[in-house]
Amino acid sequence: MTKLILSTSNIMNGGPSILRRPASEKSNVELINGLRSSFLLSKQAFAPPANGSAYPSPSSPPIKHSHPCIPYTKWTSREKDRLFIPSVDFAQSGLAEERSQYDITVKLFFLPNTSASKRCRAAQDAIDLVLQELHVPSIDLLIVSFPGVSFDADDEDEEDEYEPHSTQNGQDEGLNAMAETWKSLEYLHEKGVALQIGLSEFGSERLQKFLPRTKIKPSVDQINVRDCCVVPKALILYAKQEKIELLTHNDCTNVLPSGTVRELLGTDEKGAGVLAGPGGSSDGIEGEVEPQWVVKYTAVVRDRGVIENKGYFAMAEVRDS
């Protein structure tokens, strides 16, 4: 089995090829375009020179195609069972100022293919990558998003002041599995790696059932409020009682489906040529691709409120078919 580590690097340094999504748009377009741009820039470094020189001249037109003829082994790097796409040089990254000048928020999305038993190790691996990328020993806030869990304001009864409901979302996974995963965040908090830890998409009912299973309560509950509607009174009251800050977001529940990963890394015109085509029609990696997690990190300069560094890592496993 091979673990594919996909990375965007700092998308705030990217050119117009990275599409910036409006704040109101619910989409993973920032992640997908960030990955495409990262792959393309890395492949361009190995593109055959158009004018006979080792590097294209300043007057040369930009290279726009994906260079399918460049083997992926040229612009990726392998460390044991991990393949970094593209190669990552952590020595070249980092923040411009001292750690104390930043608010660093990290959101970890566990995808549907990630079993509960793997999540504790995955949380540590994902945060380690962010710490290496930013050259910091800690982050300010770590938020976890569980697969199949989505907040629906219509399910919140504002009249009964956060009394438990009888209905359950059929896609919700067991709270016990979530609580087991939460222990890995509690561990990171106790080590001083994550100064605060939080959840995503928990309504008042789910919070009531979850909190008794925790040792360290979440500081934040991040919810997706559809159509800018008012946050339900039941959730506001319960969060206030438990001293949990409510934040909103526009992230997709499943930010990186399996089909999207294969499209990004496949052999078609827009693919990076890392994965083999149908029937092993190329020199790429063969097997079934299963995305496991995505981690988004944002470093904001405190005294200016400016995002200096923002990016993504994602991990997918390739299993023999």
Side-chain angles (χ1 to χ4, degrees):
M1 180 182 69
T2 299
K3 296 179 180 179
L4 309 179
I5 308 296
L6 286 60
S7 62
T8 63
S9 298
N10 184 6
I11 64 173
M12 305 310 294
N13 292 334
S17 60
I18 299 179
L19 303 180
R20 309 268 187 238
R21 63 178 181 179
S24 61
E25 183 182 1
K26 179 182 178 182
S27 176
N28 59 352
V29 65
E30 183 179 71
L31 167 62
I32 302 306
N33 280 279
L35 290 172
R36 287 194 192 281
S37 177
S38 179
F39 300 163
L40 179 59
L41 289 173
S42 295
K43 295 181 79 172
Q44 284 180 350
F46 294 92
N51 56 4
S53 63
Y55 302 97
S57 67
S59 60
S60 300
I63 305 169
K64 297 182 179 181
H65 56 83
S66 61
H67 306 297
C69 61
I70 302 174
Y72 75 89
T73 52
K74 294 284 189 180
W75 56 279
T76 64
S77 60
R78 183 177 290 274
E79 293 182 7
K80 298 181 179 179
D81 64 341
R82 300 194 299 178
L83 181 68
F84 285 84
I85 309 172
S87 297
V88 177
D89 184 0
F90 291 116
Q92 301 299 317
S93 57
L95 299 173
E97 302 178 36
E98 295 295 324
R99 166 67 181 92
S100 60
Q101 301 302 308
Y102 298 90
D103 282 319
I104 301 175
T105 300
V106 174
K107 186 169 184 179
L108 176 57
F109 303 84
F110 287 117
L111 304 180
N113 291 315
T114 312
S115 64
S117 62
K118 292 182 177 180
R119 290 186 194 145
C120 292
R121 179 70 257 174
Q124 184 69 63
D125 291 344
I127 298 306
D128 283 347
L129 288 171
V130 174
L131 298 181
Q132 291 180 76
E133 176 70 16
L134 299 181
H135 295 189
V136 295
S138 65
I139 59 176
D140 293 285
L141 174 62
L142 171 58
I143 298 172
V144 64
S145 172
F146 293 102
V149 176
S150 58
F151 176 78
D152 190 343
D154 294 337
D155 290 340
E156 295 280 329
D157 187 351
E158 297 186 3
E159 301 299 326
D160 62 10
E161 294 195 0
Y162 52 82
E163 286 296 319
H165 297 206
S166 59
T167 59
Q168 286 286 342
N169 184 336
Q171 293 184 332
D172 287 0
E173 66 173 52
L175 284 173
N176 287 335
M178 294 184 192
E180 192 65 28
T181 304
W182 183 253
K183 291 180 181 178
S184 64
L185 275 72
E186 292 176 328
Y187 175 72
L188 291 170
H189 176 71
E190 290 172 337
K191 285 178 58 181
V193 173
L195 305 185
Q196 290 183 298
I197 50 179
L199 297 161
S200 182
E201 300 298 280
F202 273 48
S204 58
E205 177 186 350
R206 190 178 288 121
L207 276 174
Q208 288 182 80
K209 295 179 179 180
F210 181 77
L211 293 187
R213 294 170 164 86
T214 67
K215 180 171 64 174
I216 301 172
K217 290 193 300 186
S219 301
V220 164
D221 181 17
Q222 194 184 51
I223 58 174
N224 193 327
V225 183
R226 297 181 307 175
D227 302 321
C228 298
C229 65
V230 177
V231 177
K233 180 181 177 182
L235 179 57
I236 293 174
L237 291 173
Y238 189 68
K240 183 178 181 180
Q241 172 186 307
E242 299 297 331
K243 296 181 174 58
I244 297 173
E245 183 181 4
L246 296 177
L247 302 176
T248 59
H249 72 91
N250 294 294
D251 297 313
C252 295
T253 302
N254 185 7
V255 296
L256 194 62
S258 298
T260 301
V261 176
R262 183 159 287 281
E263 180 183 337
L264 283 167
L265 302 178
T267 56
D268 62 11
E269 183 179 354
K270 293 184 178 181
V274 176
L275 299 177
S281 57
S282 71
D283 294 330
I285 300 171
E286 297 184 31
E288 295 296 322
V289 181
E290 296 182 354
Q292 302 293 306
W293 51 260
V294 172
V295 65
K296 175 174 69 173
Y297 56 91
T298 307
V300 178
V301 183
R302 285 177 174 162
D303 62 354
R304 299 198 300 273
V306 174
I307 300 176
E308 179 185 301
N309 199 311
K310 182 179 183 181
Y312 297 81
F313 287 99
M315 196 276 275
E317 294 179 348
V318 180
R319 300 180 179 277
D320 295 336
S321 53

